[in-house]
Amino acid sequence: MRKKIIAGNWKMHKTNPEAIRLAEQLRKKLEKNPPQKSKVIICPPFTALSVVSEVIKYSSLELGAQNIFWEEEGAYTGEISAKMIKSAGARWVIIGHSERRKYFKEDENTINKKIRLALQNKLKVIFCVGETLEEREQNLTKDIVGNQVEWGLKGITPAELKNIVIAYEPVWAIGTGKNATPEQAEEVHAFIRDILDALIEDNVGETVTILYGGSVKPENAEGLLAQPDIDGALVGGACLKADSFYKIIQAGEKVF
Ligand code: PEP
């Protein structure tokens, strides 16, 4: 049985007092009604990792960061290392998010280096892939996603893959309010499993947790999460309020 995960990417939102409040609200909701079927991960900005880590210390919530640098340490002004996020309480890290690819020009090579470094530091990875609207319209979705998976996971062994979750996030669906249909998402998720079989090891694809991300909301979560190859969600906008994130967690509980 694959692990089911609902993860929240807070992006560049929440000062420390706001982050503490949101984490507390969520913790209280989950204490009252603990999810039985899924793991819940929250990924606040770097600055709030330590304080949120304190808030969720005795809860089932897990903590992730949104990025790391690809070197262990050194003269890289402004960057944050794997060890730093670990020491602040993170056990997960999002790598290859489309906003990092777009605004910070991260390519498959840098993403691959980050994934390897995260794994060397015993962090678990949420590795994001997804096509732009233009690419989808040109019928290139599978080429693009296949390429991202292939190069992002270059050199990754089947054992290491156990610590990687893939998030399929069509770029045109992120923050736009326009989600992929359950069928569109399901098709790409199934394709990613085939690619993993071909690239890493026969039958390994069916063991990997693959999340969908892109305008997941309480209203559309159930339909998406009910798909056989969708193992959870990476949520942006709707995770910034405890209420809506909690409703998405509940939708998972209903259909997983
Ligand atoms: C994301 O940032 O990973 C994301 C899916 O954002 P949103 O849910 O806002 O589309």
Side-chain angles (χ1 to χ4, degrees):
M1 212 0 208
R2 292 189 294 267
K3 254 187 230 109
K4 309 291 185 185
I5 293 175
I6 306 291
N9 173 13
W10 294 13
K11 308 196 187 190
M12 197 175 74
H13 293 285
K14 308 294 177 189
T15 61
N16 280 4
E18 290 166 347
I20 291 170
R21 206 171 316 130
L22 176 57
E24 278 175 351
Q25 287 168 347
L26 191 60
R27 188 197 64 202
K28 283 182 190 149
K29 283 182 185 293
L30 296 180
E31 271 167 4
K32 263 199 213 143
N33 210 351
Q36 304 297 317
K37 297 182 183 160
S38 58
K39 187 191 286 297
V40 181
I41 304 167
I42 50 177
C43 304
F46 291 128
T47 44
L49 284 173
S50 287
V51 290
V52 170
S53 165
E54 278 302 306
V55 173
I56 64 173
K57 197 151 68 180
Y58 302 112
S59 77
S60 61
L61 279 160
E62 296 191 14
L63 190 66
Q66 300 170 21
N67 182 31
I68 48 166
F69 192 59
W70 63 74
E71 293 286 354
E72 285 285 0
E73 63 177 356
Y76 302 104
T77 302
E79 291 297 330
I80 305 281
S81 74
K83 282 196 176 60
M84 289 170 188
I85 66 161
K86 269 190 95 173
S87 73
R91 293 295 169 262
W92 291 83
V93 59
I94 299 172
I95 293 181
H97 192 280
S98 66
E99 287 152 14
R100 301 242 21 120
R101 293 176 188 261
K102 179 174 171 194
Y103 299 122
F104 304 98
K105 307 288 173 258
E106 289 195 10
D107 60 17
E108 309 322 321
N109 184 39
T110 54
I111 290 165
N112 179 256
K113 287 200 275 188
K114 289 182 177 197
I115 292 177
R116 285 146 165 278
L117 192 81
L119 296 174
Q120 278 161 27
N121 280 279
K122 306 257 177 303
L123 285 161
K124 292 186 184 153
V125 171
I126 300 176
F127 166 41
C128 303
V129 297
E131 81 288 0
T132 62
L133 183 58
E134 218 180 9
E135 289 160 348
R136 175 162 281 264
E137 285 172 350
Q138 288 170 17
N139 229 357
L140 291 174
T141 298
K142 289 184 179 170
D143 292 331
I144 297 295
V145 171
N147 199 55
Q148 290 171 337
V149 172
E150 176 173 0
W151 292 98
L153 296 183
K154 197 102 202 136
I156 297 299
T157 64
E160 288 173 323
L161 195 61
K162 289 192 172 67
N163 290 315
I164 299 177
V165 165
I166 295 179
Y168 168 56
E169 299 207 304
V171 179
W172 49 272
I174 298 180
T176 58
K178 192 177 169 212
N179 61 286
T181 64
E183 295 71 26
Q184 284 173 322
E186 169 63 20
E187 187 187 355
V188 181
H189 282 227
F191 167 73
I192 292 173
R193 296 196 195 286
D194 292 343
I195 287 281
L196 293 171
D197 288 349
L199 290 174
I200 298 194
E201 192 176 68
D202 269 355
N203 302 321
V204 81
E206 66 183 30
T207 67
V208 176
T209 295
I210 306 181
L211 314 180
Y212 167 78
S215 297
V216 177
K217 303 183 270 281
E219 307 82 69
N220 61 22
E222 214 177 294
L224 287 157
L225 298 176
Q227 296 299 309
D229 285 297
I230 299 185
D231 304 315
L234 179 55
V235 184
C239 80
L240 296 174
K241 294 230 158 64
D243 236 18
S244 47
F245 192 50
Y246 178 66
K247 282 185 184 146
I248 294 170
I249 297 165
Q250 282 185 310
E253 291 296 295
K254 212 161 153 192
V255 297
F256 287 151

